[in-house]
Each structure stands twice: as C-alpha cells, then as structure tokens.
Amino acid sequence: MRLSSQHSGITSDVIIVGGGAAGLSLAHRLTEAGTTTATVVDAPDGPLRPAERTWCYWEEGPGDFEEAVSASWSRLRVHGVDGAPVTVTSSPLRYRMLRSGPFERLVHSRLTGSPGSQVVRATVDAVRDVGDGAQVLCTMPGGEALTLRARLVFDSRPVAALPPARTQLLQHFRGWFIRTATDRFDPSVADLMDFRVPQPAHGLAFGYVLPLAPDRALVEYTQFSRAPLDTAAYDAALEHYSRAVLRLGTWTVEAVEQGVIPMTDGRFPRRAGRAVFRIGAAGGATRPATGYTFSAVQRQSRALADNLRTGRTAVPPPPHGRRALAMDAVLLRALDTGRIDGPDFFTGLFRHTPPQRLLRFLDGATTPWEEWAIGLRSPVGPMLRTAVELPFLRRRPRTAPVTAAPCETSR
C-alpha cells in the first residue's frame, strides 16, 4: 500500500505489528472513524509470512466482513462416538468461514481510503519504549533499516513462550481442501465435531467438515492432547476419516492447512511496555477450552478502539470474562486428568443445551443462570472435584516446545 519515501521517523498515532486477524481487525476499528492513523507492519513474502489460514465464528445478520466470507451455515452437527448425529439450527446466528486472503484484501482496501494509514511490508527486529511513545525497528525486504515511531504499539505476534499454567494442552490439526469425483457433501450443514475416529490414549480427537459445495469441503482431523503429531500421522488419520467414515470415494486434495493452538489456563499479559501492548492470541484472545479466537478479537478491537477515541486506557480489555476463564480452567483440567470423557462431554452439550444458549456459552456470552443450567448437564462430581483442587495447583512453565507456530485458526 502506501509507504513514505523516508525510511526513518515514519510517524502515526498507532503502530500495529502483525497483519493477521487481530492486527487488521484493530486497524480497521481504529481507522473507520477517520480520527486515528495506523501503520500495520506485516511480514514480507517469505518464510516469516504464514500460509493462508481459516477463521470461523458466529454472527447474526450481515457483518463487517461479509464481503470476504467464503461460506456460512445455520445448521450445525456433532457425531458421537456411537455415530448418532446431533443436528441443531443456530438461527438467527450463522457459522461463518473466513479465509485470511480475502479478509486481508478487504481490510487493506479499506485502509487505502483512510488518510495517513498504511501497511508496511517489513521484518520487525525490535519493539521498545522511547520518550513519550514507542519505536519499532524493522528491516525492509531489500535489507534497508526502517524505524517507525508512534504514541502506541500493539503487537499481535505469537509469544516466544507460553505463560506458566496449571493445565497446558494443545489443539492441533491438519486439514485438506477436498474436491470429490461425485457430490458427497451437504452444503447446508457444518460438522463441528465428528467423534467417529479412533480416540488417542490421552485427550480426544474428532473430524471437522465445512462443506463449500456438493463436491468440495474443508475436511480436518483435530486432537486435543499434549503434543502435536507429525505430518504422516495427520495424513493417515485424514485418509482413514475421509475413506472409512465419510466414504468420499475418489477425491483430490487442492490445498492444505495445519496449525497448533495452545489450550491453557495461563495468564497472557496484555502489556509489554509503557506504550507497548499485546493483542489477539498473544494477548489471551483464544478461548482456552475451544480454541475459538476471531469473535474475541472483534470484541477486543471494538472496545479498544472506543477507549482510545474517548481518551481512556490504552491497555487492551480482557478478551474473555473471569467466569468463562474459570470454567475453561476446570474443563481443561478435567479433560487432561481423564476425569471426564471428552467426546461424551461435548456431544452431551449439543444434545441437551438449546442451540442459541450453547453458542453464547462457547462465545463466553452467557449469564450466570444459563451457565448454572449447563453445568447441571455436565458430570457434576468430576467437575466439582476439579474445581476444588485447582486453587492448590502450581502454575508451571511448559516443558515441551510447541513444534508448530501457534496460529489464529479455524476454531
């Protein structure tokens, strides 16, 4: 987009490091009123630039990014281990699928029309407080040094190490964009969790199918466990799911996506300096027990933009409420210890909870009474035992590295 000819001292109100869902969403919210200028620093083409990603979320009515939505569904389905399907209608909410490429092009086009705002392709070397603001030191694709300055910097890059936690699981997955030789998919219904796959000794596994046409879909294999698999193991699981469970016949794989999402009750600091702050997954936007991130990013971006316009605090607001995080901490611990059966728990949620209430619950938007009603449908004894022991557990750093970079993903 636009770039000043001066390669030092480029100044704007705000610098946003990272041009993914969190960075571009905040840039859009800050600049839509025309009162704030923003510079987005995004990695140039090459090894530091992530592959195209998929984000999914629930929304009522046409949303801000409707032009970039690839597909949406108002019927959602879960298959239990026994194969019995549970299908719910989410209306007036729709489950939307957004690919990072169209989303990026849409927001870039909007930033083009915002005077003083820009996207810079550069590698960020350092972010630091200086004087009455902050400074971002970068290297341009040609090797030239670039210094950016602003009053505030919001950094969305993945953190180098996860914060200490009582429970640390990973949601890791690999997905194929499949085209079948004959019509095999129902484009009116999305399969959120299909437990008709072999379950690991620790954690849980499920299939995930987002149909794009009668002969096209994103088909994923996902695990909640302590360590990712290698590519061969993911592909073997996808082959089995596609052939033995979905019975797709002949197909071709047109594209692939893969990712790892930390599922942790660690506390992600949202402040990294006097004028430097963390947003998105790096600032705790990922819902610990589900991996969903995009909706929380939108809430955080709107609230932060409102705060800055009215002169309130620049610290990004918490992406999730305390009750939601407390419930997630209990669920993660119960899953990790094996006190509850993951497939039975999630299937039961869909089977016994009204759809709109369930989706609000997964989004962290339920009332205490609604959460109490949902809790009575869960394994009360194991969950209470877990809730009682949590305050006495130490938060520990992760001992094993996350072998694939955490990403804002399709959950």
Side-chain angles (χ1 to χ4, degrees):
M1 296 175 66
R2 298 188 302 275
L3 176 62
S4 167
S5 59
Q6 183 183 359
H7 279 193
S8 63
I10 297 177
T11 303
S12 57
D13 297 323
V14 167
I15 295 171
I16 299 169
V17 179
L24 290 180
S25 295
L26 180 58
H28 167 62
R29 300 298 174 193
L30 289 174
T31 59
E32 62 183 343
T35 57
T36 304
T37 60
T39 295
V40 178
V41 186
D42 200 7
D45 292 336
L48 295 179
R49 189 161 178 77
E52 190 165 14
R53 293 144 290 165
T54 303
W55 304 306
C56 288
Y57 58 101
W58 289 276
E59 193 169 42
E60 181 178 350
D64 291 334
F65 310 117
E66 189 69 22
E67 302 158 65
V69 170
S70 300
S72 67
W73 304 267
S74 60
R75 295 175 63 222
L76 309 173
R77 185 166 56 201
V78 170
H79 286 271
V81 173
D82 60 1
V86 181
T87 304
V88 301
T89 300
S90 62
S91 181
L93 298 171
R94 292 188 69 85
Y95 190 60
R96 285 173 160 82
M97 173 185 181
L98 187 63
R99 295 282 282 161
S100 60
F103 172 77
E104 181 181 285
R105 290 190 289 273
L106 174 63
V107 178
H108 281 197
S109 69
R110 293 175 178 177
L111 292 179
T112 299
S114 177
S117 296
Q118 59 196 341
V119 174
V120 175
R121 297 288 190 191
T123 301
V124 173
D125 302 311
V127 179
R128 62 192 185 194
D129 289 309
V130 291
D132 59 352
Q135 189 178 70
V136 180
L137 306 180
C138 311
T139 301
M140 300 291 285
E144 314 99 298
L146 172 67
T147 300
L148 302 171
R149 295 185 181 88
R151 293 186 300 107
L152 302 168
V153 172
F154 296 96
D155 193 344
S156 67
R157 293 174 298 171
V159 293
L162 296 178
R166 295 166 296 194
T167 307
Q168 295 176 330
L169 294 176
L170 300 176
Q171 179 177 161
H172 50 100
F173 63 91
R174 182 171 170 87
W176 291 343
F177 285 86
I178 280 178
R179 184 182 294 271
T180 53
T182 58
D183 291 352
R184 295 286 180 172
F185 302 106
D186 179 358
S188 71
V189 58
D191 286 294
L192 296 188
M193 287 182 159
D194 188 342
F195 294 108
R196 297 174 295 172
V197 297
Q199 294 299 310
H202 183 271
L204 61 92
F206 57 89
Y208 178 68
V209 182
L210 299 183
L212 306 175
D215 63 341
R216 290 189 303 115
L218 169 60
V219 178
E220 286 190 356
Y221 173 80
T222 299
Q223 277 195 15
F224 292 3
S225 60
R226 293 177 181 171
L229 307 179
D230 59 30
T231 299
Y234 287 120
D235 283 343
L238 276 166
E239 177 79 21
H240 172 268
Y241 180 54
S242 300
R243 194 170 302 284
V245 179
L246 298 180
R247 301 183 184 278
L248 296 183
T250 303
W251 71 81
T252 56
V253 177
E254 299 184 325
V256 175
E257 71 171 24
Q258 185 169 329
V260 178
I261 311 168
M263 302 178 71
T264 169
D265 66 352
R267 297 165 179 165
F268 288 79
R270 300 188 305 281
R271 187 163 208 151
R274 189 180 62 255
V276 181
F277 307 91
R278 294 195 178 277
I279 57 172
T286 299
R287 182 76 190 265
T290 65
Y292 284 104
T293 304
F294 194 82
S295 291
V297 161
Q298 302 314 308
R299 290 195 299 269
Q300 187 182 60
S301 298
R302 290 190 193 98
L304 180 53
D306 288 342
N307 286 348
L308 293 179
R309 288 191 193 105
T310 55
R312 287 175 284 176
T313 177
V315 179
H320 303 287
R322 291 182 179 179
R323 287 199 321 275
L325 293 178
M327 289 186 295
D328 282 5
V330 173
L331 177 56
L332 286 178
R333 178 70 180 175
L335 287 172
D336 192 37
T337 58
R339 288 178 187 147
I340 64 171
D341 181 279
D344 285 350
F345 175 82
F346 285 107
T347 303
L349 276 184
F350 277 83
R351 183 168 285 132
H352 301 301
T353 308
Q356 289 74 26
R357 181 185 297 171
L358 174 59
L359 298 185
R360 290 198 305 274
F361 175 73
L362 295 176
D363 223 11
T366 40
T367 65
W369 180 89
E370 290 174 319
E371 291 157 8
W372 175 259
I374 291 171
L376 291 177
R377 297 284 189 176
S378 66
V380 175
M383 297 294 266
L384 282 176
R385 177 185 171 189
T386 304
V388 168
E389 81 170 1
L390 270 179
F392 301 98
L393 298 177
R394 290 180 56 194
R395 295 180 182 270
R396 301 177 183 274
R398 181 173 173 82
T399 55
V402 178
T403 56
C407 65
E408 297 160 292
T409 181
S410 57
R411 301 291 181 269

